[in-house]
Amino acid sequence: MQFEVIAKCHTTKARVSRMTLAHGVTMLPTFMPVATQAAIKGLTPEQVESLGVTLILNNTYHLNLRPGLKVLNEAGGAHKFQGWHRNLLTDSGGFQLVSLSKFTTITEEGALFASPFTGEPTMLTPEESISIQHTIGADIIMQLDDVVSSLTTGPRVGEAMERSVRWLDRCITQHERSGKKDTQNLFAIVQGGLDPELRDRCLEEMIKRRDGVAGYAIGGLSGGEEKDTFWRVIKQCTDKLPEERPRYSMGIGFAEDLVVCVALGVDMADCVFPTRTARFGVALTHKGPLNLKLSKHSKDLRPIDESCPCPTCTDGTSRAILHHNVTHETAAAHAITLHNIVFQAQVMGRGRAAIVEGAFPDYLRTFFANYFGDVGYPEWCVNALRSVGVDLLENTDAKIIPGSGAKWEYSNAAGN
Amino acid sequence: MSSLPVTSGLHFSLLTPPSARFGPRLGTVVFKRPGCTTDQPFVTIPTPGLLTATSRGVVPHLSRDHHRKTQAIKWVHIPFETFLEHNPPVPTLQTGKTPLHTFLGFNPGQHLLSMSARDLYDGREMPPNGKDHVSVYSLRGVRKLSPAQWRSYVYSVKPDIVMALSDTPFTDPPYSQKRLTKSIERSFAWLLNVLCSLSEPEKSTLLKEEPHYKPTVLVHMSGMTSIPARRAFADSLLEPLFGPEAEQVKHIKYLDEGVSGYSFDLVPLRLSLDAAEKKSIDAMSPPSSLPSPAETPDPTTTALDVEASLSQLNLDSTIPPHIEQILPLLKTSLERLPTTKPRIVNSTQTPHETLRLISSVGIDLFDAHWAQRASDIGVSLDFVFPAPQGEGRKDLGHNLYHDKYTYDFSPLASSFRGAIDTEFTKPICQCLACSPSVPPTRLYHGVDEESYSGEPVMPLSSTPRYKPSFTRAYLHHLLHTHEMSAHSLLVMHNISILDAFFSSIRKLLSEKPESWDAEVKRFIEAYDEDMVVLDEARVSWKEVELARGKGRLAREKAKQDEGTLGTAVELE
Ligand SMILES: [Zn+2]
Ligand SMILES: [Zn+2]
């Protein structure tokens, strides 16, 4: 991997960088759409590429079950299997193992779980996670970490953090001896829950291993913790993480989360939210999400967003026809998915442009004024951005919404 | 080639004057819109050819870029009834010269849009039609659609082609002589209604933006399964109009003059033939294989219990074809009408039927519904005409759910190749599954241009840069993981394979017409007409649906099942 920071925000910790991987260049900060099962819901890889997406995510846990490694091996890796010629990232499979399998127990050796096929006890070790990811062949692969919910408290959090460090060593060793270091890049995952001391210890240990890792992910968040805690952990990590490594905040996808994380120095994020919410009929716009299932859209002949460059909006696809078909026809889901992926890309792209132009604080203010102007700014965003020198409330009389912020039309339909 | 038409509307020319009233024929449909310029070329469709079916106004599973990039999609048929959920129907609010095209995202230069009130593939039992209305189906219940409303909707949304309302009963078949007499009288009156010139006030509201709009009208040939009724209806089209009827349509002397083509819907015919057959076999047993709603509808209600009727609905049940009985019915309708107009058949179930209808009737256009439906259940079509020599009986496609495709990295059809493949003996399937290509352009979102990334600027090339075909193994995976992309790819492929079938039919008819009968016979013997592969796929599809259903939001799932002909939107 080649990673160069090409511009920095003069006020916040935001930066623009160029990440060169085996399948091309991805400009950071970027949002990665999730292709869990080797397809972005309903789309073809050619469509995704035409949207300007250069990096997507596959889930190791799922691909390991189906199609399975033998198929991927014969296909020549996941890129070829799914016809995706740009960059690809896989997770370690650990998170899904814990969240999707009831019987997972963590031992020092690895994660012990019941095989979904045979029910037999099966072990996923750090070494195995890495070699599975080698077979999949993604440009960025993740260490196996000991995942605990961000709401977990007590000694388990510390134990998981320490073990994640030990597992990182095993992942590095496995990766080093694989001979795949030229084409695949291993990321560490910083753990430590919501406890600043544990986070610090983890950061310290993992930064020591920087020669063995190409980048750092911030894990153990987005599990229902208070947003005000969330951003503080992110900031704590980005403050410490080395400048010359990309930073990846896992499971982040709401637009406000993205811009705040970018301001705190995050380079990459992924989430199923924009593609999932599309299937429920929610289109994301710079003025807040639109729930196209609501009957107020039934006669509205305007596109989702007149100034949006996505295929759905440039074609003039009306809210009315989307309303007519949403949740009835897959084609409506495809149309909104195309739009939402472009929306996410725009949020990040405008951010990059603003950073390069030295106008990122203005971008933040404009973004919040447009996105939350009507409903009020989430308090945690205001706090988070203050911590990096941007006062969102300067020259505005916007309301402040305590807690996680505004409840959009999508909240009950498709919260993450 | 026919010379370019000067008047707007549908122009059909037979390339080879048919030696007989019935039998295979080659033709061209050229459609010209008012004010058509070179920017908006004529839509030209060689026949025999296909029309693409839609559900709720979209080609199921295809985004707009996909339906445009599928060359085989030219004539698109829109059932209008789902739009009657709102009053006024939302497409009527769209303005412009081609509102229906605009509303649904079809390209006037590429797509010919025809419109019918009802979904032509829906054989559900319905409340009876009335003297002045057709019972139509929308998600919000059964609605009554009057000929006057239909006419106003047609002039508002301006489809290229419209099917006149027809009184086709979907109550309990078979039908009495009295019912059929009523049916042909109403169908006649409703055809007359749509052919009427607009009044001056109507013109000023409906034709504000396109004063020259005039729908091209197709008539559904009424009379159900009764030879005398069919003959009577066809004859009525040729009878000189007089009195008040003649007053309404001064520009024509008899109705056929205002008609641009003849259409035949097979679903009601099959249902009726099937019911008659069952009655004659066992007068005691009710028709069992027919799709039917949960309860007998009360004709006075305007809203059926949608959920109940839809949960009973099984759009997959194949109605016995009865094709040998259908052929003479179609011929009866056509025996005195001009041979110069296109003949359209909707809801064929197999290519075998298509060949028979071409052979013995001389049908020109067929809907692609069965091939599109095959995509819903994971079948990739793989057949050619003429059939390959010296192989055993073949399936028309592959049930890609089957485990034998787990490691099959070949393209979707063995009889075709992708554009990048080098097996030059095979024809290319131009669909985006077999011949995908690198997008010629992409979006940029800020500081991701080549000047920043340092990547080579994509050359502006007029020839596509093809990529390897999507494989059966990939589609197998997508189907088993319930990924919607599987269906998008399969729809594009299957419509393209069907299009290739028609183009081979035309080639044979123009180059070696003498071998037609023998090749039809050979095809019918070579490919499995029972389409067992579709039945198997349907079983696999249900298994995967059920397996997933366990962990899903049952209510969301049930809600979706109502509305969609295709597979449901994934809502996990
Ligand atoms: Zn858009
Ligand atoms: Zn194909």
Side-chain angles (χ1 to χ4, degrees):
Chain A
M1 173 194 291
Q2 256 182 295
F3 177 78
E4 306 146 82
V5 177
I6 64 166
K8 287 186 193 173
C9 173
H10 49 73
T11 305
T12 71
K13 296 169 63 193
R15 68 230 192 114
V16 172
S17 22
R18 184 188 298 120
M19 179 170 70
T20 308
L21 300 165
H23 293 85
V25 175
T26 296
M27 296 303 295
L28 307 181
T30 200
F31 175 81
M32 304 182 277
V34 180
T36 296
Q37 319 254 27
I40 303 276
K41 296 281 180 214
L43 308 187
T44 62
E46 292 72 34
Q47 282 178 305
V48 177
E49 193 180 345
S50 73
L51 301 180
V53 172
T54 60
L55 172 58
I56 64 168
L57 186 148
N58 279 172
N59 285 115
T60 294
Y61 174 83
H62 293 88
L63 291 197
N64 191 32
L65 291 181
R66 263 190 189 281
L69 297 184
K70 203 167 161 241
V71 171
L72 289 173
N73 219 353
E74 283 191 29
H79 282 99
K80 283 192 179 146
F81 183 64
Q82 66 199 299
W84 175 249
H85 295 185
R86 305 294 309 218
N87 292 320
L88 181 64
L89 179 150
T90 45
D91 63 358
S92 68
F95 177 75
Q96 263 88 18
L97 204 59
V98 172
S99 55
L100 297 178
S101 171
K102 285 181 198 118
F103 309 105
T104 306
T105 37
I106 305 295
T107 68
E108 188 56 27
E109 197 190 345
L112 187 67
F113 62 103
S115 155
F117 293 126
T118 61
E120 304 254 309
T122 311
M123 178 70 80
L124 179 70
T125 63
E127 290 79 9
E128 205 164 71
S129 169
I130 295 302
S131 65
I132 292 171
Q133 294 185 73
H134 284 153
T135 303
I136 296 174
D139 304 278
I140 296 176
I141 63 177
M142 306 301 294
Q143 78 156 108
L144 184 69
D145 53 345
D146 183 359
V147 185
V148 290
S149 155
S150 57
L151 302 177
T152 308
T153 50
R156 177 71 184 101
V157 184
E159 181 197 59
M161 181 278 284
E162 306 281 1
R163 182 169 290 135
S164 294
V165 175
R166 292 193 296 275
W167 283 4
L168 174 60
D169 286 330
R170 290 166 61 185
C171 290
I172 292 173
T173 310
Q174 179 73 11
H175 189 50
E176 304 269 319
R177 65 169 172 239
S178 69
K180 304 255 184 174
K181 274 194 83 175
D182 290 346
T183 49
Q184 295 185 275
N185 300 278
L186 175 66
F187 275 38
I189 305 176
V190 178
Q191 288 290 351
L194 310 179
D195 181 333
E197 266 180 50
L198 293 180
R199 281 277 166 185
D200 262 346
R201 288 230 304 275
C202 191
L203 282 163
E204 196 181 314
E205 289 303 320
M206 288 189 169
I207 291 165
K208 278 188 205 159
R209 291 154 175 82
R210 72 167 79 182
D211 291 342
V213 297
Y216 290 91
I218 303 168
L221 293 174
S222 310
E225 72 280 356
E226 287 296 324
K227 282 293 199 180
D228 222 53
T229 314
F230 161 79
W231 75 259
R232 285 173 209 281
V233 175
I234 295 281
K235 178 154 193 298
Q236 186 189 354
C237 295
T238 52
D239 278 343
K240 291 248 161 76
L241 286 171
E243 277 274 310
E244 70 284 3
R245 292 283 187 280
R247 306 151 181 171
Y248 162 30
S249 185
M250 301 170 86
I252 303 298
F254 291 167
E256 66 271 29
D257 297 13
L258 291 177
V259 295
V260 169
C261 284
V262 167
L264 299 177
V266 166
D267 304 307
M268 302 156 65
D270 80 285
C271 193
V272 295
F273 164 73
T275 44
R276 179 177 292 175
T277 203
R279 302 198 290 290
F280 285 84
V282 177
L284 306 171
T285 81
H286 299 284
K287 290 185 174 157
L290 287 180
N291 184 347
L292 292 163
K293 281 190 84 170
L294 300 180
S295 55
K296 68 176 178 188
H297 301 295
S298 68
K299 293 182 178 176
D300 194 336
L301 295 175
R302 292 173 302 165
I304 298 166
D305 176 354
E306 256 135 18
S307 61
C308 173
C310 88
T312 303
C313 295
T314 49
D315 204 68
T317 313
S318 63
R319 298 175 187 189
I321 186 66
L322 291 170
H323 171 82
H324 182 70
N325 284 326
V326 83
T327 71
H328 297 303
E329 288 294 337
T330 60
H334 306 343
I336 304 173
T337 301
L338 290 166
H339 168 85
N340 283 0
I341 289 175
V342 167
F343 170 78
Q344 301 287 109
Q346 276 196 313
V347 168
M348 299 306 249
R350 290 178 183 186
R352 287 192 301 268
I355 297 164
V356 166
E357 286 156 20
F360 189 64
D362 293 337
Y363 171 67
L364 290 169
R365 286 190 200 97
T366 315
F367 170 84
F368 277 90
N370 287 334
Y371 202 74
F372 288 106
D374 303 342
V375 290
Y377 295 1
E379 188 177 21
W380 74 271
C381 297
V382 175
N383 295 341
L385 294 177
R386 267 195 191 128
S387 80
V388 287
V390 175
D391 186 1
L392 282 182
L393 301 177
E394 204 178 86
N395 303 325
T396 168
D397 47 6
K399 272 191 304 179
I400 301 291
I401 307 293
S404 299
K407 295 281 173 275
W408 288 113
E409 291 172 351
Y410 60 65
S411 49
N412 48 3
N416 63 111
Chain B
M1 258 326 274
S2 53
S3 57
L4 293 179
V6 280
T7 53
S8 60
L10 183 144
H11 300 264
F12 181 62
S13 50
L14 285 165
L15 299 186
T16 46
S19 51
R21 173 165 291 271
F22 301 113
R25 48 199 222 158
L26 276 170
T28 313
V29 168
V30 177
F31 194 86
K32 182 184 184 297
R33 285 195 194 82
C36 196
T37 63
T38 40
D39 303 344
Q40 268 195 6
F42 307 104
V43 181
T44 303
I45 297 168
T47 64
L50 67 84
L51 42 118
T52 303
T54 59
S55 168
R56 300 185 71 80
V58 297
V59 181
H61 308 300
L62 297 193
S63 51
R64 291 179 173 189
D65 53 331
H66 278 166
H67 76 225
R68 286 194 199 125
K69 285 179 189 153
T70 304
Q71 299 298 317
I73 299 178
K74 283 185 169 166
W75 181 328
V76 181
H77 183 73
I78 316 283
F80 195 70
E81 60 187 344
T82 62
F83 296 108
L84 300 171
E85 286 157 19
H86 288 278
N87 191 14
V90 183
T92 63
L93 306 176
Q94 186 84 52
T95 53
K97 285 182 182 298
T98 51
L100 191 64
H101 281 82
T102 307
F103 189 68
L104 300 177
F106 291 99
N107 179 356
Q110 184 183 358
H111 300 120
L112 198 59
L113 293 191
S114 59
M115 188 167 103
S116 61
R118 297 232 47 214
D119 183 338
L120 306 175
Y121 323 100
D122 185 352
R124 263 175 296 197
E125 197 169 317
M126 291 285 285
N129 301 327
K131 182 174 158 298
D132 221 12
H133 79 266
V134 173
S135 293
V136 298
Y137 191 84
S138 86
L139 275 187
R140 296 196 182 176
V142 172
R143 299 283 155 106
K144 292 177 176 177
L145 176 68
S146 74
Q149 283 171 319
W150 181 237
R151 201 164 78 109
S152 113
Y153 298 155
V154 166
Y155 276 91
S156 297
V157 307
K158 304 179 181 58
D160 298 318
I161 296 164
V162 61
M163 311 260 290
L165 280 192
S166 163
D167 180 24
T168 307
F170 283 94
T171 49
D172 189 19
Y175 305 103
S176 67
Q177 195 61 51
K178 200 171 140 234
R179 176 70 187 88
L180 291 179
T181 305
K182 221 159 55 177
S183 162
I184 59 175
E185 282 169 7
R186 285 175 186 166
S187 300
F188 179 90
W190 296 347
L191 172 62
L192 179 79
N193 186 288
V194 84
L195 289 172
C196 284
S197 310
L198 291 184
S199 66
E200 286 309 317
E202 279 177 319
K203 271 186 196 161
S204 65
T205 53
L206 296 170
L207 298 184
K208 218 165 27 195
E209 292 181 80
E210 180 50 278
H212 303 295
Y213 175 75
K214 202 170 158 290
T216 290
V217 176
L218 300 184
V219 62
H220 173 250
M221 300 310 291
S222 292
M224 295 301 281
T225 54
S226 154
I227 296 272
R230 295 194 78 88
R231 185 169 291 137
F233 182 74
D235 287 351
S236 73
L237 301 181
L238 298 171
E239 274 160 29
L241 298 162
F242 60 92
E245 285 171 353
E247 280 301 301
Q248 288 177 55
V249 281
K250 285 187 178 140
H251 57 293
I252 51 175
K253 289 188 279 307
Y254 48 95
L255 285 191
D256 188 68
E257 244 190 291
V259 166
S260 298
Y262 311 112
S263 134
F264 302 88
D265 298 342
L266 301 190
V267 168
L269 294 182
R270 291 195 224 269
L271 290 173
S272 191
L273 289 167
D274 213 49
E277 187 178 282
K278 292 222 162 69
K279 264 192 184 151
S280 70
I281 292 168
D282 182 358
M284 294 308 288
S285 73
S288 59
S289 72
L290 306 186
S292 73
E295 49 207 310
T296 310
D298 173 353
T300 59
T301 57
T302 49
L304 274 175
D305 180 348
V306 174
E307 299 229 2
S309 65
L310 273 160
S311 62
Q312 299 281 317
L313 171 67
N314 183 358
L315 291 158
D316 279 328
S317 68
T318 315
I319 315 162
H322 296 284
I323 191 69
E324 293 307 329
Q325 291 152 278
I326 284 174
L327 297 174
L329 298 176
L330 270 47
K331 287 166 107 165
T332 302
S333 297
L334 292 169
E335 75 199 348
R336 288 177 214 173
L337 292 169
T339 56
T340 49
K341 298 185 187 183
R343 303 156 173 181
I344 297 146
V345 160
N346 282 299
S347 50
T348 47
Q349 296 179 156
T350 60
H352 306 67
E353 273 185 5
T354 301
L355 292 174
R356 290 193 182 94
L357 286 160
I358 292 172
S359 280
S360 48
V361 187
I363 298 299
D364 304 300
L365 286 145
F366 299 84
D367 70 308
H369 187 263
W370 73 270
Q372 294 172 252
R373 187 70 192 129
S375 333
D376 286 345
I377 55 173
V379 169
S380 77
L381 295 179
D382 186 358
F383 64 94
V384 283
F385 181 79
Q389 293 287 348
E391 293 176 43
R393 203 164 165 81
K394 294 162 68 77
D395 284 324
L396 286 160
H398 308 277
N399 165 19
L400 293 177
Y401 280 101
H402 197 285
D403 282 345
K404 70 182 170 195
Y405 300 110
T406 309
Y407 296 97
D408 187 341
F409 296 100
S410 56
L412 300 187
S414 309
S415 335
F416 291 81
R417 65 181 171 104
I420 206 176
D421 298 332
T422 48
E423 277 183 88
F424 294 122
T425 51
K426 293 179 182 177
I428 293 176
C429 180
Q430 284 291 356
C431 86
L432 295 190
C434 296
S435 303
S437 58
V438 177
T441 57
R442 53 159 281 196
L443 294 178
Y444 295 93
H445 304 286
V447 190
D448 52 355
E449 301 80 7
E450 286 79 7
S451 56
Y452 287 100
S453 70
E455 292 197 315
V457 178
M458 277 197 269
L460 272 177
S461 118
S462 53
T463 51
R465 284 185 290 151
Y466 287 110
K467 296 169 65 175
S469 307
F470 288 97
T471 62
R472 296 175 196 187
Y474 182 55
L475 271 288
H476 173 80
H477 163 73
L478 294 180
L479 289 168
H480 277 274
T481 50
H482 211 269
E483 287 291 340
M484 295 180 285
S485 306
H487 305 293
S488 312
L489 292 167
L490 284 172
V491 169
M492 294 189 278
H493 173 75
N494 286 351
I495 296 179
S496 302
I497 293 293
L498 187 59
D499 192 46
F501 171 69
F502 282 111
S503 106
S504 312
I505 287 173
R506 294 192 299 269
K507 188 163 185 277
L508 188 76
L509 284 178
S510 85
E511 291 171 8
K512 287 174 76 183
E514 67 284 357
S515 63
W516 172 260
D517 287 335
E519 290 301 351
V520 168
K521 188 163 173 286
R522 224 164 55 72
F523 182 96
I524 287 174
E525 281 162 11
Y527 289 103
D528 171 32
E529 184 167 9
D530 293 334
M531 301 221 283
V532 175
V533 68
L534 288 189
D535 294 334
E536 287 167 1
R538 214 167 276 132
V539 171
S540 315
W541 178 74
K542 281 186 182 137
E543 279 167 9
V544 172
E545 284 286 296
L546 274 176
R548 287 193 63 85
K550 284 177 199 158
R552 297 174 80 189
L553 301 165
R555 258 186 66 241
E556 289 296 345
K557 176 93 174 61
K559 269 190 188 166
Q560 289 183 1
D561 284 348
E562 292 169 7
T564 172
L565 268 173
T567 47
V569 180
E570 176 65 57
L571 282 179
E572 106 272 22

